[in-house]
Amino acid sequence: MAKLSWSELSKPLNQHLLEVINGFGFDKMTPVQSAAIPLLMSCKDVAAEAVTGSGKTLAFIVPTLELLLRRHREHPWKQFEIGSIIISPTRELAAQTSQVLDQFLAHPEIPFQQKLLVGGNNVEEDVQYLKKVGANILIATPGRLVDLLERKNDLNLAGNVKSLEILVLDEADRLLDLGFTSAINTILSYMPRQRRTGLFSATQTKEVQDLMRAGLRNPVMVSVREKAATSTPLLLQNYYMIVEPENKFAKLLDFIDQNNIQKAMLFLPTCACVEYWADVIPKFIKDRKILSLHGKMKNRRAKILEKFRQTPKVLLLCTDVLARGVDIPEMDWVLQWEPPSNAAAFVHRVGRTARQGHDGNALILILPTEDAYVEFLQRNQKVSLKSVTSEATRSYEDVNKILHQIQIDDRTIYDKGNRAFVSHIRAYSKHECNYILRVADLNLGRIATGYGLLRMPLMPELKNVDSSDFVGPADAIDFLTIGYKNKEKEASRKRKLEIYQETGQWPGSTKKFQRKTEAWSLSKQKKVETKTKKEERKGKKQLKNAAPSEPKKKKRKGGYTNEDIEELANDIAMFKKLKRKKISDEEFNKQMGIEDSD
């Protein structure tokens, strides 16, 4: 599709909107904008699919404001009358959309108020704002919007949306992935039928198609793809590196140094992984800022994301909470610790770079057992990856010496390392493409070594699993002596330790034993010796069973033969006959073999 300038639309935009767009420095519309904006301005429902970073935000903000301005000329919007609702899957994406909208609303001739409604803020403050100030445009996450719509006593939000002009579902596939289906259905039940609806998504899944049937009326489908028939931006270079599990962290450090990476995001599988690596990576990378962000950070996420945007040389560790929609200027690399939970998530992650015509790069670290993932991405998402290597300047042994010491110095880091490993393995077991990414194929001992753990943690997944390849500290460690730097936590630990030394049971634990601590080499030797003794006992038992022996009478449980059971039953029967006087005492004594005494 040929790129149109903003002034070439068949239905011209409001001049005030064009002034703001020109201020952005955008001369031409992107393909998704050229396709979706005229349709929405013509009052049609639109379902648009386009790769991440293709300009979808302006594709719905511009026609939203145009429709509201047209209505305003005839019937001015009242203070509490809501003309548009934009629903986003995450707070970060909602806040980013709000920032873009703010630049339009700053124009003196665009007379609308907006309100951002997301979780993490005080809901009562939102209620009071809407009651006192009002808003014509709401940008919200599903949970908070449902909460406010269902309030009956102190807020009549449901009544204020009766004149709604347009509803926008941004990143619709992500909304459904995060389990917001029920919330979306509730929101739709409050919306007036005479409205326009725009559904914007990076992928068209079955769930998205079901939502289209439920929430849109005869929608026009818009699908915009890059020329190379790829799901990722055209200016993005995708790379992969095959690494051994114990060497993954050392290889990542080498790659960052050798490629002079300035601004990057590192996607990790779980919140626990983010917390652990965020504490240890600054010990290895000291020439740039290290930030961390995950879904359990409620009120701090917006500040951290803004700090990441403003810092020129920075590495942000995060989970998939930032995989969608978030626009970070001048980010040159996206790094991935391992394959994400599904193939679509890979596309969304790497789409954080190479946005709006800028170049970008992405690297994913893959274990030798995961090499089929490269071809899987090519077939499933039409994403081609190039193999890359880095010169080894660090050994995992040297890196782990530092990791071990960090944990010995602070038990908090030791605890975080264990939680990170456990959560990683459990998240891996939930991969959608588990036919090529299987926990059974992982060498858990070597992966734990790569995390720099002091010992293998206790977890059900390690039962009957050979973890003899785990390499821990060379010297034995008394884990009871590892303390917390936090004084309050350390004082609590010492109190519990005293109780344990007196009773043999750790407070709060049902187990009356403490695992002995020893060097991994001694532990491995003992395992070998135990296995050898077990095999010797098995061999002796087989020889004994092979030798001829006299047949023995079968015995029931308790050591009684069948004859014993029968004799006992006969005796009981005789007692019953005697009791019922069916036989005399003499007959009973004779049957029981009891001789009369003088």
Side-chain angles (χ1 to χ4, degrees):
M1 178 182 292
K3 290 186 177 181
L4 299 175
S5 69
W6 289 93
S7 59
E8 292 176 343
L9 287 168
S10 57
K11 288 190 175 182
L13 282 175
N14 185 288
Q15 184 61 35
H16 307 313
L17 295 178
L18 287 174
E19 291 173 7
V20 178
I21 293 168
N22 290 335
F24 291 147
F26 297 147
D27 181 30
K28 301 286 187 179
M29 287 187 285
T30 65
V32 68
Q33 292 165 358
S34 299
I37 290 175
L39 292 170
L40 286 170
M41 287 171 55
S42 300
C43 298
K44 296 182 182 296
D45 285 3
V46 173
E49 174 192 7
V51 297
T52 184
S54 58
K56 291 194 290 291
T57 303
L58 284 185
F60 59 75
I61 282 183
V62 171
T64 292
L65 292 172
E66 178 66 31
L67 291 174
L68 296 187
L69 285 169
R70 288 180 189 174
R71 158 78 183 274
H72 185 71
R73 286 194 293 267
E74 299 177 4
H75 304 285
W77 290 93
K78 298 176 183 177
Q79 181 181 357
F80 300 99
E81 197 174 15
I82 296 171
S84 174
I85 295 177
I86 300 170
I87 301 175
S88 296
T90 66
R91 303 171 192 174
E92 289 72 26
L93 183 53
Q96 180 175 287
T97 303
S98 178
Q99 291 169 3
V100 175
L101 181 58
D102 269 339
Q103 297 180 64
F104 283 93
L105 301 186
H107 194 289
E109 300 299 326
I110 303 178
F112 306 128
Q113 289 282 343
Q114 72 142 318
K115 177 58 180 170
L116 178 65
L117 303 172
V118 297
N121 299 329
N122 190 314
V123 67
E124 294 302 326
E125 291 180 2
D126 289 340
V127 170
Q128 293 305 315
Y129 183 94
L130 292 173
K131 288 173 66 176
K132 293 179 180 180
V133 181
N136 307 117
I137 303 172
L138 300 181
I139 299 177
T141 49
R144 178 54 58 90
L145 183 57
V146 168
D147 187 359
L148 295 174
L149 284 170
E150 292 182 339
R151 285 177 175 253
K152 304 298 182 185
N153 299 326
D154 54 350
L155 180 68
N156 184 28
L157 188 62
N160 295 340
V161 301
K162 290 182 178 179
S163 300
L164 190 80
E165 190 74 26
I166 181 169
L167 171 69
V168 175
L169 302 173
D170 189 17
E171 299 289 354
D173 50 345
R174 182 63 171 162
L175 283 168
L176 302 177
D177 287 345
L178 292 176
F180 288 127
T181 303
S182 177
I184 295 298
N185 290 335
T186 300
I187 292 168
L188 290 176
S189 69
Y190 283 96
M191 298 296 108
R193 293 191 176 184
Q194 296 299 321
R195 68 169 192 273
R196 298 281 64 76
T197 304
L199 185 150
F200 291 81
S201 175
T203 55
Q204 287 287 352
T205 63
K206 178 183 180 299
E207 290 76 14
V208 171
Q209 292 171 355
D210 291 342
L211 179 59
M212 287 166 50
R213 285 192 287 271
L216 283 70
R217 296 188 304 172
N218 300 319
V220 179
M221 295 291 298
V222 173
S223 182
V224 179
R225 301 184 182 277
E226 298 280 8
K227 292 180 180 178
T230 177
S231 300
T232 58
L234 205 58
L235 296 177
L236 173 65
Q237 297 295 321
N238 278 302
Y239 302 98
Y240 73 95
M241 184 190 299
I242 301 291
V243 295
E244 297 297 334
E246 69 274 17
N247 210 30
K248 182 180 282 192
F249 182 48
K251 282 287 188 180
L252 178 64
L253 294 174
D254 285 341
F255 187 85
I256 292 173
D257 286 346
Q258 293 165 19
N259 289 274
N260 193 28
I261 295 176
Q262 300 294 306
K263 195 166 192 172
M265 298 172 75
L266 171 60
F267 282 96
L268 292 159
T270 68
C271 300
C273 290
V274 170
E275 293 190 349
Y276 171 61
W277 290 114
D279 280 342
V280 301
I281 284 182
K283 305 294 184 182
F284 298 88
I285 301 178
K286 299 181 179 181
D287 62 341
R288 73 201 68 203
K289 190 74 176 176
I290 307 297
L291 300 174
S292 62
L293 192 154
H294 58 71
K296 293 182 180 179
M297 295 178 175
K298 299 300 181 184
N299 301 324
R300 294 183 293 152
R301 280 159 45 180
K303 292 181 180 179
I304 294 170
L305 186 57
E306 186 58 29
K307 192 172 185 179
F308 179 58
R309 285 193 173 103
Q310 300 299 327
T311 307
K313 197 171 184 179
V314 59
L315 175 65
L316 175 65
L317 281 58
C318 60
T319 58
D320 278 338
V321 72
L322 289 185
R324 299 291 289 267
V326 178
D327 192 12
I328 309 295
E330 300 177 0
M331 187 169 68
D332 49 353
W333 279 90
V334 168
L335 309 170
Q336 300 185 69
W337 181 260
E338 68 166 10
S341 59
N342 58 69
F346 177 94
V347 173
H348 298 309
R349 284 179 174 185
V350 300
R352 296 313 95 218
T353 185
R355 298 174 70 85
Q356 296 292 336
H358 297 289
D359 293 336
N361 305 278
L363 171 75
I364 184 169
L365 302 175
I366 294 178
L367 302 180
T369 56
E370 299 169 338
D371 58 347
Y373 188 74
V374 177
E375 184 178 353
F376 169 77
L377 277 179
Q378 173 64 53
R379 293 176 178 273
N380 188 276
Q381 294 292 321
K382 296 182 173 59
V383 176
S384 297
L385 280 71
K386 301 175 185 177
S387 177
V388 68
T389 59
S390 64
E391 182 182 351
T393 60
R394 298 175 175 87
S395 68
Y396 79 86
E397 293 92 347
D398 292 337
V399 169
N400 279 7
K401 285 179 183 177
I402 300 173
L403 290 175
H404 294 159
Q405 193 58 51
I406 293 172
Q407 295 175 69
I408 292 171
D409 291 342
D410 188 357
R411 196 178 190 91
T412 298
I413 311 300
Y414 164 72
D415 291 341
K416 286 184 177 181
N418 283 312
R419 285 196 294 268
F421 172 78
V422 171
S423 67
H424 174 190
I425 301 306
R426 289 175 178 170
Y428 197 93
S429 67
K430 298 175 183 177
H431 269 290
E432 285 187 6
C433 45
N434 52 18
Y435 58 94
I436 59 173
L437 302 174
R438 303 187 306 163
V439 173
D441 294 335
L442 298 179
N443 187 314
L444 300 185
R446 294 174 69 185
I447 291 177
T449 301
Y451 269 76
L453 301 187
L454 298 181
R455 63 180 176 184
M456 292 294 291
L458 296 172
M459 56 187 296
E461 288 80 359
L462 291 176
K463 189 177 182 181
N464 301 323
V465 172
D466 180 14
S467 58
S468 59
D469 286 334
F470 172 70
V471 179
D475 300 324
I477 296 175
D478 184 355
F479 288 87
L480 295 178
T481 63
I482 299 177
Y484 293 103
K485 281 189 176 180
N486 182 289
K487 293 181 180 180
E488 292 182 1
K489 291 184 70 174
E490 179 58 15
S492 174
R493 188 189 74 86
K494 285 183 176 179
R495 287 194 297 269
K496 292 179 180 179
L497 181 58
E498 290 176 0
I499 296 172
Y500 165 74
Q501 290 172 338
E502 291 177 3
T503 64
Q505 183 174 354
W506 194 266
S509 173
T510 57
K511 296 181 179 179
K512 294 187 178 182
F513 65 88
Q514 182 76 11
R515 184 168 62 174
K516 294 181 179 179
T517 59
E518 58 188 0
W520 69 271
S521 55
L522 293 175
S523 176
K524 185 174 181 179
Q525 182 181 347
K526 286 184 178 181
K527 285 181 180 179
V528 172
E529 291 174 353
T530 301
K531 187 176 181 180
T532 303
K533 289 179 181 179
K534 187 176 181 181
E535 290 176 349
E536 288 177 355
R537 288 196 299 269
K538 186 177 179 180
K540 289 179 181 179
K541 188 175 181 180
Q542 289 175 344
L543 289 173
K544 187 177 180 181
N545 291 338
S549 58
E550 294 182 2
K552 294 181 180 180
K553 293 182 179 180
K554 282 188 177 181
K555 289 191 175 184
R556 295 177 180 267
K557 287 184 179 180
Y560 297 108
T561 64
N562 290 331
E563 289 83 353
D564 293 335
I565 300 284
E566 291 176 3
E567 185 176 346
L568 180 60
N570 289 333
D571 291 346
I572 292 172
M574 294 300 297
F575 274 112
K576 289 181 177 180
K577 288 182 179 180
L578 177 64
K579 188 176 179 181
R580 295 170 183 169
K581 297 181 179 181
K582 290 186 176 181
I583 59 174
S584 63
D585 290 341
E586 291 79 6
E587 289 175 324
F588 175 78
N589 290 338
K590 185 178 179 180
Q591 291 291 336
M592 298 294 291
I594 301 174
E595 296 181 358
D596 293 333
S597 57
D598 295 332

